[in-house]
C-alpha cells in the first residue's frame, strides 16, 4: 500500500482528517508542519517571522523528502506544499495525493479563531485567501483524488477518501 498524502489550502482539515484516516486504517500519521516545528524548535509563525517565507519553503522541501521515505503512512502537508513541483514529485513517488477542498467562507470560519497562520494574519484574510486559491488551484487539481470537505465531518471525509482509494486500486 502507498502512503496517503493530504494536500489543500489552509483550513481544509488536512490535519484533523489525516488523524482520523490514519486511525481508521491503523497507519502512522505524520503532520509535516508539526515535524518542522519539532525539528526547528520554533512555531511555523516564528519561522516566517525570523527567517522569512523562502527559508520556510526550503525547510518544507527537506521535510517532504524525509516524510516520503516512510512506508504505509498518512502524511498531512502544509497548504503551500504544491508551490514546488519537486515536493509533489517526491511525495507521489510512493504516495497517493489526496486534495481536500472547501469554499473560502468555510475556510475563514475554520481558521478565524487562531492566529498561527502567518499568511492569513492580514487585514483582509478573505482577499488573501482568494488570491492564494487563484494561484494554487491549478496545482491542487493535479492530485490523484479530490474530496470536497464543505459541510462534512472528518469521519465522512475519511470514508470518502478510503472509498476513492479503493476505486483507484481496482482500476
Ligand atoms: C501555509 C500553510 C500552513 C503552513 C504555513 C504556510 C501555506 O499549513 O504550512 O503557514 O502556504 O498555505 P496549513 O495548511 O496546515 O495551515
Amino acid at each position: 500500500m502507498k502512503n496517503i498524502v493530504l494536500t489543500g489550502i489552509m483550513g481544509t482539515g488536512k490535519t484533523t482528517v489525516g488523524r482520523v484516516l490514519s486511525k481508521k486504517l491503523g497507519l502512522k500519521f505524520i503532520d509535516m508542519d508539526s515535524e518542522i516545528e519539532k525539528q526547528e524548535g520554533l512555531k511555523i509563525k516564528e519561522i516566517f517571522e525570523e527567517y522569512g517565507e523562502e527559508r520556510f519553503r526550503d525547510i518544507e522541501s527537506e521535510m517532504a523528502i524525509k516524510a516520503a521515505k516512510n512506508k504505509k503512512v498518512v502524511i498531512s502537508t502544509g497548504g503551500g506544499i504544491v508551490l514546488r513541483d519537486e515536493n509533489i514529485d517526491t511525495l507521489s513517488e510512493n504516495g497517493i495525493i489526496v486534495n481536500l477542498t472547501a469554499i473560502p467562507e468555510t475556510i475563514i470560519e475554520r481558521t478565524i479563531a487562531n492566529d498561527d497562520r502567518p499568511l492569513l494574519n492580514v487585514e483582509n484574510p478573505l482577499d488573501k485567501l482568494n488570491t492564494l486559491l487563484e494561484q494554487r488551484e491549478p496545482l491542487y487539481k493535479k492530485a490523484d483524488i479530490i474530496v470536497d470537505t464543505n459541510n462534512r465531518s472528518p469521519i465522512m471525509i475519511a470514508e470518502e477518501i478510503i472509498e476513492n482509494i479503493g476505486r483507484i486500486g481496482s482500476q
Side-chain angles (χ1 to χ4, degrees):
M1 184 186 170
K2 284 185 160 190
N3 293 333
I4 303 173
V5 180
L6 302 179
T7 67
I9 196 99
M10 296 164 274
T12 45
K14 300 178 293 289
T15 302
T16 312
V17 171
R19 224 171 253 136
V20 171
L21 186 61
S22 63
K23 212 173 248 174
K24 255 186 160 314
L25 294 172
L27 303 177
K28 189 180 156 199
F29 174 57
I30 298 172
D31 181 68
M32 281 186 48
D33 277 349
S34 301
E35 292 302 313
I36 290 173
E37 291 185 338
K38 266 190 248 164
Q39 175 185 287
E40 300 298 312
L42 291 169
K43 293 274 166 207
I44 300 295
K45 188 175 139 185
E46 293 166 336
I47 302 176
F48 269 71
E49 280 164 8
E50 289 184 31
Y51 303 110
E53 181 170 350
E54 263 320 287
R55 176 72 192 126
F56 171 75
R57 297 299 171 202
D58 290 342
I59 300 171
E60 186 175 49
S61 294
E62 286 159 23
M63 190 53 76
I65 294 171
K66 266 196 201 169
K69 287 192 176 133
N70 290 279
K71 301 267 176 311
K72 292 190 194 170
V73 293
V74 175
I75 301 170
S76 111
T77 63
I81 197 77
V82 293
L83 292 173
R84 292 187 180 174
D85 286 347
E86 69 207 51
N87 295 342
I88 296 299
D89 290 348
T90 305
L91 288 163
S92 56
E93 261 169 38
N94 179 39
I96 300 172
I97 310 290
V98 180
N99 177 240
L100 303 183
T101 65
I103 57 168
E105 288 72 14
T106 304
I107 294 166
I108 293 293
E109 215 177 277
R110 289 179 187 160
T111 56
I112 202 115
N114 57 41
D115 68 349
D116 57 5
R117 290 185 172 91
L119 295 177
L120 294 182
N121 267 343
V122 293
E123 204 167 308
N124 193 335
L126 187 58
D127 266 4
K128 177 69 184 181
L129 194 57
N130 281 320
T131 308
L132 289 175
L133 277 169
E134 206 175 295
Q135 178 196 12
R136 295 179 184 178
E137 234 153 33
L139 306 171
Y140 289 136
K141 278 190 179 153
K142 292 183 187 168
D144 301 304
I145 294 167
I146 297 179
V147 175
D148 174 18
T149 69
N150 288 293
N151 304 314
R152 283 174 165 157
S153 70
I155 293 175
M156 285 163 76
I157 299 162
E159 280 167 358
E160 187 171 337
I161 293 172
I162 294 169
E163 236 181 81
N164 275 280
I165 289 175
R167 212 169 289 143
I168 286 187
S170 62
Q171 271 172 11

